Amino acid sequence: MDQVGVRYDKNWRDWLLSGTETQFSFALGAPSAQVIGRDFESVSRWVNTWHSWAEAHPAAHLRSTTRRTVVGSQKVPTHLDVPTLDDLVSLDPVLANHWQRANERWSRIRALPTDVLVPRLRPRLQQILDLANHDFEVLLEAVRWFVENPRSGLTTRQVPVTGMHTKWLARNRGLVLACLNSREEHSADGYQIDDELEQAALDPLGLTALPVHVNLIIADPVERARIGGLRHISAPLPEVTSLPVQPDTVLIVENKESAYLVPDRPRTVIVHSLGNHLNVLDQIGWLTVAADQLYWGDLDRAGFTLLSRARARLPHLVSVLMDPMTLHQHGALAVADDTRVDLPEPNLTDAEAAALAALTTEHRAYLRLEQERLPAPFALNQLFRALERHTRDGAR
């Protein structure tokens, strides 16, 4: 039966899309005359097992031959012949369920009001079958809606398709675009399911992205006085770019809780909680010209990937509290990390690369030390030392 499963797994997409083979034949590895003569009892059991199996599966037929052996002429099955694909899948309930699901879903995909291109959908057929029933219904309804509204200009949450929220679209955007026969479909899968899709990702669907908001802490009281005394700001990128601030030091912090620890400090602005929107960093003029640009993120694989992406925008970016010493001193606070993470850009320093390597345990598992877990006195002490060191270096 292994051969049946292998044949099915290799060919079911072609059978679904362009027709089926009319007959299947599988070699059973029948024993030779020498083997029969040497181990007649074992061969007899093998033959009886196949005959019993064939009686229980009338859709398949045993093809036999006669071997002339030292114990006389013996009839042994050599092949399993199966007349049709339906007969083939009936041999295994798992295959039967899979084939039925494939036919039902493909027929509904083909009924969509769009020109479905087989080559574009073929690589995604298993993904379509893996969808929960609810998600499959959302997919069909979403495709119908986008066909009728190709340039709506709505945001994702405004689309009147029940069940299609931001995370759903980030996770299934590739399927939607494939069903719509969009030429942009090849770029559909570079998004994590928690992402807010950016405008370039939404353009093929005719949707509008929400403006990226940047979170700031204006740590300098003098700078705050110029903007009405606000210490905490969350505003769209263009408004942040136009703020009348001129910090010497910009500290980029991955998480809000850690950013809130940082007290007032002259000529300092903290940028925090950017998530995957690190592409805004080099679009903020007053940030790019700051003398000192520092980054503090989680000590985990994702943290170093984000650090590397931020450094790709700001080449002089220096990390703090993302070194082997911090991990060694506080390793007891680390937890297991089983998330899927993209590799970092090739721009980590030797110390950062060493810390990243130290996150891998001897059993090939991974660790995560979130920045919020570091004791506040330790974190602030190391942070202030780094800030003062860079301020002194910049003054020389």
Side-chain angles (χ1 to χ4, degrees):
M1 288 303 296
D2 289 344
Q3 293 184 61
V4 173
V6 170
R7 180 82 65 86
Y8 180 86
D9 289 342
K10 182 180 179 180
N11 296 288
W12 71 268
R13 295 171 182 83
D14 294 328
W15 298 336
L16 182 70
L17 300 176
S18 57
T20 63
E21 298 181 21
T22 57
Q23 186 172 349
F24 304 88
S25 183
F26 303 92
L28 300 181
S32 65
Q34 291 80 5
V35 171
I36 296 173
R38 187 170 59 248
D39 196 359
F40 180 72
E41 290 187 3
S42 295
V43 171
S44 295
R45 288 194 297 271
W46 179 83
V47 171
N48 290 334
T49 297
W50 270 115
H51 281 298
S52 298
W53 184 91
E55 290 178 2
H57 299 83
H61 308 287
L62 289 179
R63 192 192 330 157
S64 299
T65 191
T66 300
R67 302 267 202 248
R68 295 181 178 179
T69 75
V70 294
V71 292
S73 296
Q74 303 294 328
K75 191 174 183 180
V76 294
T78 59
H79 293 79
L80 182 69
D81 296 326
V82 185
T84 69
L85 178 56
D86 288 339
D87 292 329
L88 181 76
V89 298
S90 72
L91 301 178
D92 185 336
V94 174
L95 299 186
N97 290 335
H98 185 277
W99 184 241
Q100 180 181 358
R101 188 180 183 90
N103 277 278
E104 290 174 350
R105 293 203 167 180
W106 179 239
S107 66
R108 298 188 67 187
I109 291 288
R110 291 300 299 267
L112 288 170
T114 180
D115 294 328
V116 175
L117 285 186
V118 169
R120 195 171 295 279
L121 272 174
R122 187 185 189 282
R124 296 187 174 275
L125 287 174
Q126 187 58 54
Q127 189 180 353
I128 291 173
L129 267 59
D130 289 338
L131 288 174
N133 290 335
H134 169 74
D135 288 329
F136 182 65
E137 297 299 331
V138 175
L139 172 65
L140 297 178
E141 188 58 32
V143 171
R144 295 188 192 101
W145 190 89
F146 284 118
V147 168
E148 296 176 1
N149 304 274
R151 291 290 178 265
S152 69
L154 300 180
T155 65
T156 301
R157 292 180 177 87
Q158 291 174 326
V159 174
V161 173
T162 302
M164 199 198 81
H165 47 74
T166 302
K167 291 183 179 180
W168 187 96
L169 187 58
R171 184 170 59 244
N172 297 292
R173 174 181 178 271
L175 287 178
V176 174
L177 289 171
C179 291
L180 290 169
N181 189 24
S182 168
R183 294 184 180 276
E184 297 290 333
E185 187 269 332
H186 66 276
S187 65
D189 295 324
Y191 302 91
Q192 300 178 9
I193 63 172
D194 291 331
D195 287 346
E196 285 279 356
L197 293 174
E198 298 176 2
Q199 189 59 56
L202 294 175
D203 280 341
L205 296 171
L207 299 180
T208 300
L210 292 172
V212 176
H213 278 62
V214 181
N215 297 288
L216 305 177
I217 297 176
I218 311 300
D220 185 346
V222 176
E223 297 273 29
R224 287 204 296 270
R226 298 175 185 160
I227 54 174
L230 295 175
R231 190 173 196 270
H232 297 272
I233 296 174
S234 178
L237 177 62
E239 296 181 20
V240 167
T241 301
S242 64
L243 286 174
V245 294
Q246 295 178 321
D248 290 334
T249 300
V250 173
L251 173 63
I252 302 165
V253 182
E254 183 175 341
N255 300 307
K256 175 174 65 177
E257 290 84 351
S258 298
Y260 281 19
L261 289 175
V262 183
D264 281 354
R265 186 176 185 275
R267 305 297 293 260
T268 300
V269 171
I270 298 107
V271 181
H272 65 87
S273 310
L274 281 175
N276 289 297
H277 295 295
L278 296 167
N279 58 306
V280 306
L281 289 174
D282 58 356
Q283 300 178 46
I284 304 174
W286 51 260
L287 190 159
T288 60
V289 299
D292 299 315
Q293 302 165 356
L294 292 87
Y295 186 96
W296 176 24
D298 289 334
L299 269 167
D300 62 5
R301 293 173 298 147
F304 283 104
T305 295
L306 294 175
L307 166 63
S308 72
R309 291 175 179 174
R311 184 172 287 146
R313 300 284 178 170
L314 302 172
H316 303 294
L317 193 65
V318 176
S319 67
V320 294
L321 289 163
M322 300 183 72
D323 55 89
M325 182 199 74
T326 301
L327 179 61
H328 176 73
Q329 290 184 356
H330 303 281
L333 301 174
V335 297
D337 177 14
D338 58 359
T339 56
R340 184 185 68 82
V341 177
D342 293 331
L343 293 175
E345 303 291 332
N347 58 12
L348 297 180
T349 66
D350 291 342
E352 292 160 357
L356 175 59
L359 292 169
T360 305
T361 70
E362 60 182 4
H363 303 296
R364 298 300 299 170
Y366 302 103
L367 298 175
R368 167 187 293 150
L369 178 55
E370 296 172 318
Q371 59 184 166
E372 301 96 325
R373 302 283 290 171
L374 295 175
F378 169 82
L380 287 175
N381 179 59
Q382 295 298 314
L383 194 59
F384 287 149
R385 290 175 62 181
L387 290 170
E388 293 304 322
R389 182 168 61 252
H390 283 278
T391 299
R392 290 196 304 270
D393 292 343
R396 289 174 184 167

